[in-house]
Amino acid sequence: ASATEVAEIIGGVAGHAFDLSCEIPLRAVLLRTGVDEFVLAAVVHHIAADGWSVAPLVADLQLAYAARAVGRGPQWSPLPVQYVDYTLWQRECLGDLADPDSRISGQVAYWEQALAGLPERLELPTDRPYPAVADHRGASIPVSLPADLHRLIRQLAREHNVTTYMVVQAALAMLLSKLSASSDVAVGVPIAGRGDVALDQLVGFFVNTLVLRVDLTG
């Protein structure tokens, strides 16, 4: 297969839409690109893995491949916990949403109050109108900070006893406020959700999204 064909096939694999009612949340395709060259393309549904999961998943694949290449089975190191342990702990910790005194009910009530009246979206100046129905196709734009700018951000953070992230987030909130002419700005921030080192080597979905809502009035 040519490089173009390989890229097209990988794109098709990456765009696979899982039917979780009858499919496992992992799909892999092995492509032969030469006499002794292969490309493995794999896609995992987000319900089963997050970005952090890529490292332990690839490490396990490398260990298994190296072992099989010399005719041995992989020598796995037992994990201290499994994903099911995490889910059971979370259920025990948060309780039942139907129980008004449970921790999960309290958290839901907090966020309902914190996000009350939040506009559905910031009205940003775009080059085309918003679609009537969201297609949920996203994209990313890489941003590179020059070394001099990064040094200034770190210096500003030290002066105000905050993190560099807090400086950048504040700047982003101000930029969005100016572009939208709104003093009510909310930014969704993904967090790893792995608060215990025992979870570091687990493949699973731990990510959550926090909403940082800022009132820039005045």
Side-chain angles (χ1 to χ4, degrees):
S2 68
T4 301
E5 290 173 329
V6 169
E8 290 178 353
I9 295 172
I10 291 175
V13 173
H16 176 71
F18 288 93
D19 181 354
L20 296 178
S21 66
C22 60
E23 289 183 289
I24 63 171
L26 171 66
R27 186 167 184 258
V29 174
L30 186 64
L31 307 174
R32 186 170 195 147
T33 57
V35 175
D36 57 355
E37 290 185 353
F38 299 84
V39 172
L40 175 65
V43 60
V44 185
H45 193 287
H46 219 334
I47 199 173
D50 52 23
W52 190 302
S53 299
V54 173
L57 178 59
V58 171
D60 283 351
L61 284 171
Q62 290 174 329
L63 191 153
Y65 182 86
R68 297 296 182 187
V70 294
R72 293 187 289 102
Q75 302 298 307
W76 305 116
S77 299
L79 294 172
V81 295
Q82 296 289 338
Y83 191 78
V84 67
D85 298 313
Y86 169 78
T87 60
L88 292 173
W89 167 81
Q90 192 175 57
R91 182 177 298 176
E92 179 183 357
C93 177
L94 295 177
D96 189 345
L97 189 57
D99 178 5
D101 297 323
S102 68
R103 181 175 293 184
I104 185 64
S105 293
Q107 291 190 6
V108 169
Y110 166 82
W111 284 108
E112 286 178 341
Q113 179 179 3
L115 303 179
L118 183 68
E120 183 177 349
R121 63 170 180 260
L122 284 178
E123 294 296 337
L124 298 173
T126 58
D127 61 348
R128 67 198 68 188
Y130 284 102
V133 178
D135 57 23
H136 300 293
R137 291 200 308 267
S140 60
I141 300 176
V143 176
S144 178
L145 296 181
D148 289 344
L149 178 57
H150 185 258
R151 185 173 63 253
L152 290 173
I153 291 174
R154 293 185 63 182
Q155 179 182 333
L156 181 63
R158 284 194 298 268
E159 291 174 358
H160 292 273
N161 195 31
V162 299
T163 65
T164 54
Y165 178 89
M166 294 165 72
V167 174
V168 174
Q169 194 274 334
L172 175 62
M174 291 179 64
L175 174 64
L176 293 175
S177 176
K178 287 180 178 295
L179 290 175
S180 64
S182 172
S183 59
D184 190 354
V185 175
V187 178
V189 180
I191 58 171
R194 297 179 187 246
D196 192 307
V197 293
L199 305 177
D200 286 357
Q201 298 306 311
L202 273 185
V203 174
F205 185 82
F206 296 88
V207 172
N208 209 335
T209 303
L210 292 179
V211 183
L212 302 183
R213 186 179 188 183
V214 183
D215 181 1
L216 291 163
T217 304

